[in-house]
Amino acid sequence: MASFGQTLVVGTRGAPYLISGADSASMTASKLDSRQSCVSARSMVAIDGGVVYASPDGLCLASSQGIRVATLDIFNRNDWRALNPSSMVCAYHDGVVYFYTSTSPVYALNLEAGKLTTVSALTPTTLYVDNVTDRIYAASGANVYALFSAASFRNGTWKSKRIVM
């Protein structure tokens, strides 16, 4: 379960539910038509205006408009299932969803731009977002790392699509 605004998103093995209301005595539950089940409880994370979670078909975004598979244009079904989404862990920080599994690197997905990249040289056991310090932390074994702090800039390699001349 995760919430946004006055709405609670409940991921199930079947269709997800949205439970909303201003008071606990007057909450209403609605079963969504989408069959995008939640396959990993550790993947469910609140973002701005919705909730993200791992499903069998991709990373889903549940919002007041319903459910959409946010990684549909990025991963095909076989590549997504090869990641083992049932072991997926997600965290959200500064507009980016970070996710990884036991068999994958840490991916960084900018939902607004639809851009995906990987965070190299990082094999965490968990991620933690501290809203007070505005930092994301990764634990790996007995070590805890503050990611993307002022002392460690984000470096990246950009690859363009194939261009035919």
Side-chain angles (χ1 to χ4, degrees), residues 6-69:
Q6 295 180 350
T7 303
L8 177 68
V9 178
V10 180
T12 67
R13 293 182 188 263
Y17 285 81
L18 292 181
I19 301 172
S20 59
D23 183 60
S24 61
S26 63
M27 303 290 277
T28 58
S30 60
K31 182 178 179 180
L32 298 176
D33 291 334
S34 174
R35 288 285 178 188
Q36 295 298 333
S37 62
C38 179
V39 295
S40 171
R42 292 184 69 197
S43 71
M44 191 165 272
V45 63
I47 64 166
D48 299 330
V51 170
V52 169
Y53 66 91
S55 80
D57 297 327
L59 205 60
C60 289
L61 171 61
S63 67
S64 56
Q65 285 81 35
I67 302 235
R68 73 175 176 89
V69 181

Side-chain angles (χ1 to χ4, degrees), residues 77-158:
R77 174 174 274 198
N78 292 333
D79 291 340
W80 178 257
R81 293 199 175 169
L83 290 177
N84 189 17
S86 63
S87 67
M88 187 162 288
V89 177
C90 295
Y92 178 73
H93 182 253
D94 286 346
V96 177
V97 176
Y98 297 91
F99 62 96
Y100 68 94
T101 66
S102 57
T103 60
S104 75
V106 176
Y107 289 101
L109 174 64
N110 184 321
L111 286 171
E112 189 173 316
K115 302 295 181 187
L116 179 77
T117 188
T118 58
V119 180
S120 62
L122 182 64
T123 55
T125 52
T126 192
L127 297 171
Y128 172 74
V129 176
D130 186 356
N131 292 325
V132 174
T133 61
D134 194 29
R135 287 215 178 122
I136 184 169
Y137 295 91
S140 181
N143 300 320
V144 177
Y145 303 98
L147 303 180
F148 316 124
S149 62
S152 63
F153 296 105
R154 294 183 194 191
N155 294 324
T157 303
W158 181 77

